[in-house]
């Protein structure tokens, strides 16, 4: 009987060591930075400012079910590097809030099927690796310049001003 208990204790000890190692690996992978050299492309899926939904979009997967969502794929190395620098600078928020997802970004890594996902809302929130992040105005300014004019409020104002100027000149 003592031999069985000893083998069980050894097995239990090995299982705990394996579990601990896996947890450390998981925690490390959650907080590790992204190497922009390993990024193949960026993909943004978004809803224009004009699109309204009856309820807040709380799950990024819902963006795909909205037929009028649009997408943009970016392979420009400079844009990828700048975006990854901003992603790596994100900090976890200390409070929760209700959010309405309007933009989903996928960071496609070379040689990997699944990408890294970020979600954004017009009310300046970011969700990264399932966690709400602190507002990062630099990130939103970057996206405002990167994505089409009908996505962000600031771009919508510029688009409206352009239309007004065009019509007033006629």
């Amino acid at each position: 009987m003592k031999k069985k208990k000893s083998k069980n204790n050894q097995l239990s000890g090995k299982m705990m060591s394996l579990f601990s190692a896996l947890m450390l690996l998981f925690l490390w992978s959650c907080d590790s930075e992204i190497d922009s050299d390993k990024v193949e492309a960026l993909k943004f899926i978004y809803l224009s400012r004009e699109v309204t939904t009856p309820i807040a979009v709380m799950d990024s997967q819902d963006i795909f079910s909205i037929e009028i969502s649009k997408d943009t794929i970016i392979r420009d190395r400079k844009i990828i590097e700048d975006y990854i620098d901003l992603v790596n600078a994100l900090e976890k928020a200390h409070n929760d809030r209700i959010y309405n997802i309007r933009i989903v970004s996928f960071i496609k890594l070379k040689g990997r099927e699944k990408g890294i996902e970020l979600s954004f809302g017009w009310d300046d929130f970011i969700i990264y690796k399932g966690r709400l992040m602190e507002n990062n105005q630099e990130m939103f300014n970057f996206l405002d310049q990167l994505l089409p004019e009908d996505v962000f409020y600031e771009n919508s104002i510029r688009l409206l001003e352009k239309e007004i100027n065009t019509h007033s000149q006629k």
Side-chain angles (χ1 to χ4, degrees):
M1 285 288 200
K2 288 184 181 180
K3 288 183 181 180
K4 283 186 180 180
K5 281 187 180 179
S6 177
K7 285 183 181 180
N8 286 341
N9 286 342
Q10 287 176 351
L11 182 60
S12 177
K14 287 180 182 178
M15 291 297 284
M16 285 303 291
S17 295
L18 179 62
F19 177 75
S20 297
L22 288 173
M23 284 302 293
L24 285 173
L25 181 63
F26 174 75
L27 291 172
W28 174 79
S29 68
C30 286
D31 292 328
S32 63
E33 289 190 351
I34 301 168
D35 180 355
S36 62
D37 291 333
K38 295 180 180 179
V39 175
E40 183 178 316
L42 304 174
K43 181 174 184 175
F44 292 90
I45 300 165
Y46 53 90
L47 298 174
S48 93
R49 257 329 246 184
E50 290 80 34
V51 175
T52 58
T53 56
I55 58 171
V57 180
M58 301 284 288
D59 185 343
S60 62
Q61 297 303 308
D62 291 339
I63 295 290
F64 304 110
S65 66
I66 300 172
E67 292 178 13
I68 55 177
S69 64
K70 302 174 183 180
D71 69 349
T72 298
I73 296 175
I74 297 167
R75 296 185 191 284
D76 180 282
R77 295 306 312 160
K78 176 69 173 130
I79 292 173
I80 289 172
E81 288 170 8
D82 290 347
Y83 182 70
I84 297 303
D85 286 345
L86 290 168
V87 170
N88 286 335
L90 293 174
E91 296 178 10
K92 187 176 181 228
H94 299 291
N95 57 351
D96 288 331
R97 61 190 270 198
I98 295 174
Y99 44 85
N100 191 3
I101 297 172
R102 299 316 234 171
I103 302 166
V104 178
S105 161
F106 289 100
I107 301 170
K108 171 72 172 97
L109 299 174
K110 296 174 184 174
R112 286 201 186 163
E113 193 66 32
K114 189 172 179 169
I116 299 169
E117 181 181 310
L118 285 90
S119 299
F120 304 89
W122 293 325
D123 52 349
D124 298 340
F125 75 86
I126 303 168
I127 298 174
Y128 176 46
K129 295 184 179 180
R131 292 185 265 179
L132 186 63
M133 307 306 281
E134 289 290 341
N135 181 8
N136 184 319
Q137 197 55 50
E138 190 176 357
M139 172 68 87
F140 283 96
N141 292 341
F142 181 81
L143 293 174
D144 189 36
Q145 297 300 315
L146 181 66
L147 296 176
E149 291 179 330
D150 64 342
V151 177
F152 280 100
Y153 180 72
E154 291 299 321
N155 271 333
S156 297
I157 291 173
R158 284 194 287 273
L159 183 61
L160 183 60
E161 287 172 349
K162 214 184 292 183
E163 278 185 42
I164 291 170
N165 289 335
T166 302
H167 290 296
S168 65
Q169 292 174 357
K170 290 183 179 179

